[in-house]
Amino acid sequence: MPSLPSLRPHKLALLMAAAALCAGASAQPTALTPEQQRFHDIYKELVEINTTHSAGSTTTAALAMQAELVKAGFSKDDIQIIEPFPKKGNMVLRWKGDGSKKPLLLIAHIDVVEAKREDWKTDPFKLKEDDGYFTARGSIDDKAMASAFVSILSQLKREGYQPKRDIILALTADEERGDIDSNGAWWIFKNKPELLKAELGINEGGGGELYGGQGSKPKLHRVQVAEKLYTTYQLELRDVGGHSSLPTASNPIYAMSAALARLGAYRFPVKLADVTKTYFARSAQFASGQQAEDMRAVGSGSTDSAVTDRLSTVPLYNAQLRTTCTATMFNGGHAENALPQSAKATVNCRILPFDDPDEVERQLKQVLGNDKIAMRQVAPPTRSPVSPMTPEIASVVEGLTQEMWPGVPVIPFMSTGATDSRFARNAGVPMYGVSGLFTDPADLRTHGLDERIEIPRLYEGREFMYRLVKRLGS
């Protein structure tokens, strides 16, 4: 890393601003650099466009981001708005390089999980900026990354940067729904694969960990190289019903509840792979006492039940160790004074990439323990290969991490959630989930109430992604 006096003025300003942001982690910065202000405005604009499935439009968001890129100097001819379904628009930009290297794909989804105003402290579609946090639906997942990519390419364009390779930016729809048919990344890879074909790609799914809450220092930086398989089952039990004054033993609400209670108490077998062992081995240094010993044991390949039982009390570690299936929705009955004629439940499974989905389904049926439950799979799992940590990606990510957060290790990681990277990997594009966005696992609110990110961490992450795109593009 060059010494401060040798940096160009705008670079020095960025670093000084980042340092000020870190120093004042508990309060919003009083002054932003011009590029940070542009990023803030793009981020706010994107966050405040409702892109939920129920009431929103990713087409509106895609058009807004196209306008920002045109404003920065890109031609409309470089950008496509692809809308295979109403209100499900995707934006694809191709910035032509000199052809000396194969393309780089940047992908981020612009749809968000549903958010009910009555559940949140503030309007989830108005960016709240106080107490040292940005709070809104999508403030992390995934509009932080999407707006960062838009602002980064805009900055590079204004700076006169000329990439060695084509840089492809894809802002996609319907990543959050689990319904593959309308998923933007899946649709483009299936119908217009030439638009996204690349040598490697960057997406969500990684990020960093810090512990101790607001103002804490980053501890480790994860790179997602694999992810669990996503699948969902609809369960239903039916009965003849009747008058509520004459209860029967066949009440489907009780029967379904008993089956779900058995599922809640069940743990799928522990199965380890190299990525899992590496994660625990390298993360053990941030734990202490028995937990550190247990993490090192798993890192060396141990599946001793006492060890894995202790680690499984931490949800993140439990999800790394095994396939999980959990009830997410329940509905039963039709009137308060009638016996229920049906009970329905939704069970969402996240399957280890080296597990057998058919065997998981067989185990699920066995655990539910009721042959009368009709079980229908509504989102078949999509397998995808592990992306290798090549010298190119490893050296760039590790080098930048040490520049910005000295001593913070880079750790390959299997994402417990599904991302659009699975479609890219199956199309032959190695994908890496890495963002420079650090969060405390104890305060991770993605998909939950009052989703938020520390203000300084957002600007730091954007700076990391700026350097990452610039170096990979060169």
Side-chain angles (χ1 to χ4, degrees):
M1 181 178 179
S3 61
L4 291 181
S6 68
L7 290 169
R8 291 190 300 180
H10 79 278
K11 296 290 187 181
L12 180 58
L14 281 171
L15 284 176
M16 291 177 69
L21 287 167
C22 292
S26 62
Q28 185 175 359
T30 56
L32 299 176
T33 68
E35 288 299 344
Q36 287 173 334
Q37 185 62 57
R38 291 188 186 102
F39 167 51
H40 170 275
D41 295 344
I42 293 170
Y43 175 67
K44 178 179 171 64
E45 178 184 21
L46 185 57
V47 163
E48 294 188 347
I49 297 173
N50 187 326
T51 54
T52 59
H53 171 66
S54 64
S57 169
T58 58
T59 302
T60 301
L63 288 168
M65 295 302 98
Q66 178 190 45
E68 292 291 347
L69 290 162
V70 170
K71 189 192 306 181
F74 288 100
S75 167
K76 269 196 172 183
D77 294 338
D78 298 327
I79 306 169
Q80 295 188 48
I81 301 296
I82 301 168
E83 190 186 36
F85 308 97
K87 298 184 179 181
K88 303 293 184 184
N90 306 267
M91 192 210 79
V92 179
L93 161 73
R94 181 177 289 265
W95 187 0
K96 284 286 189 181
D98 65 16
S100 59
K101 300 187 77 175
K102 293 180 181 178
L104 166 68
L105 172 64
L106 310 175
I107 191 168
H109 68 86
I110 49 177
D111 66 312
V112 295
V113 169
E114 301 290 338
K116 294 181 178 180
R117 174 64 187 91
E118 62 268 25
D119 293 341
W120 283 54
K121 294 177 182 177
T122 57
D123 187 338
F125 299 104
K126 294 294 182 183
L127 187 65
K128 179 172 173 278
E129 308 176 40
D130 62 7
D131 301 326
Y133 290 93
F134 286 127
T135 303
R137 174 59 86 221
S139 56
I140 299 177
D141 187 12
D142 186 30
K143 290 182 175 179
M145 203 162 194
S147 57
F149 284 152
V150 171
S151 79
I152 287 163
L153 295 189
S154 298
Q155 179 180 348
L156 291 172
K157 186 71 169 177
R158 285 190 296 270
E159 291 174 349
Y161 174 76
Q162 180 57 49
K164 297 286 187 183
R165 63 200 332 158
D166 287 6
I167 298 178
I168 306 163
L169 172 60
L171 303 181
T172 60
D174 264 18
E175 191 270 354
E176 295 291 9
R177 284 192 67 206
D179 180 1
I180 287 181
D181 289 344
S182 59
N183 178 284
W186 177 85
W187 192 94
I188 297 171
F189 274 115
K190 181 182 178 182
N191 296 281
K192 297 177 178 288
E194 70 282 357
L195 294 182
L196 304 185
K197 189 172 180 58
E199 186 174 32
L200 76 162
I202 302 297
N203 189 20
E204 62 167 345
E209 294 180 15
L210 50 83
Y211 303 95
Q214 192 175 32
S216 300
K217 293 181 179 180
K219 292 295 184 183
L220 61 91
H221 198 188
R222 300 188 310 249
V223 178
Q224 188 240 53
V225 296
E227 61 185 69
K228 297 179 95 170
L229 284 63
Y230 179 107
T231 191
T232 294
Y233 292 93
Q234 296 288 355
L235 312 182
E236 183 173 13
L237 260 178
R238 299 195 66 83
D239 191 63
V240 294
H243 202 286
S244 62
S245 65
L246 302 171
T248 66
S250 59
N251 187 316
I253 289 179
Y254 293 148
M256 183 67 81
S257 298
L260 295 178
R262 287 190 289 272
L263 177 60
Y266 179 72
R267 283 179 176 168
F268 284 84
V270 170
K271 294 185 179 180
L272 302 180
D274 287 344
V275 64
T276 322
K277 291 185 284 187
T278 301
Y279 172 76
F280 279 105
R282 295 189 183 178
S283 300
Q285 62 184 297
F286 304 110
S288 59
Q290 185 66 59
Q291 187 177 79
E293 292 180 23
D294 291 342
M295 294 175 78
R296 281 190 285 268
V298 170
S300 65
S302 173
T303 56
D304 179 83
S305 60
V307 170
T308 57
D309 283 351
R310 286 190 293 266
L311 287 176
S312 295
T313 60
V314 179
L316 175 62
Y317 300 157
N318 177 64
Q320 290 290 313
L321 292 169
R322 55 171 55 83
T323 288
T324 62
C325 289
T326 187
T328 56
M329 299 177 72
F330 187 93
N331 182 41
H334 60 284
E336 66 175 272
N337 58 353
L339 297 177
Q341 296 169 3
S342 70
K344 299 178 182 180
T346 300
V347 170
N348 183 248
C349 296
R350 306 299 177 118
I351 302 172
L352 291 170
F354 37 88
D355 216 340
D356 180 0
D358 292 337
E359 174 59 19
V360 169
E361 183 172 313
R362 188 195 66 77
Q363 288 175 284
L364 177 58
K365 289 179 179 178
Q366 185 177 35
V367 172
L368 292 172
N370 188 332
D371 292 338
K372 294 181 179 179
I373 295 177
M375 192 166 82
R376 180 172 64 92
Q377 189 178 51
V378 293
T382 301
R383 286 187 178 276
S384 61
V386 176
S387 298
M389 281 289 282
T390 62
E392 177 182 21
I393 193 73
S395 63
V396 171
V397 173
E398 289 176 1
L400 288 177
T401 300
Q402 293 313 305
E403 283 182 17
M404 295 190 66
W405 307 285
V408 171
V410 173
I411 299 178
F413 177 73
M414 176 188 68
S415 176
T416 58
T419 72
D420 282 337
S421 288
R422 66 193 189 276
F423 306 120
R425 290 182 177 121
N426 283 329
V429 182
M431 296 296 296
Y432 303 93
V434 58
S435 66
L437 298 171
F438 285 80
T439 56
D440 188 336
D443 188 47
L444 188 59
R445 303 187 184 188
T446 53
H447 290 207
L449 291 176
D450 306 312
E451 180 181 346
R452 67 183 187 176
I453 185 169
E454 283 187 76
I455 291 173
R457 296 301 170 207
L458 180 68
Y459 290 112
E460 269 196 329
R462 191 269 183 195
E463 174 64 16
F464 172 85
M465 285 183 269
Y466 168 82
R467 300 185 198 183
L468 179 68
V469 171
K470 190 171 185 179
R471 292 193 189 180
L472 290 177
S474 299

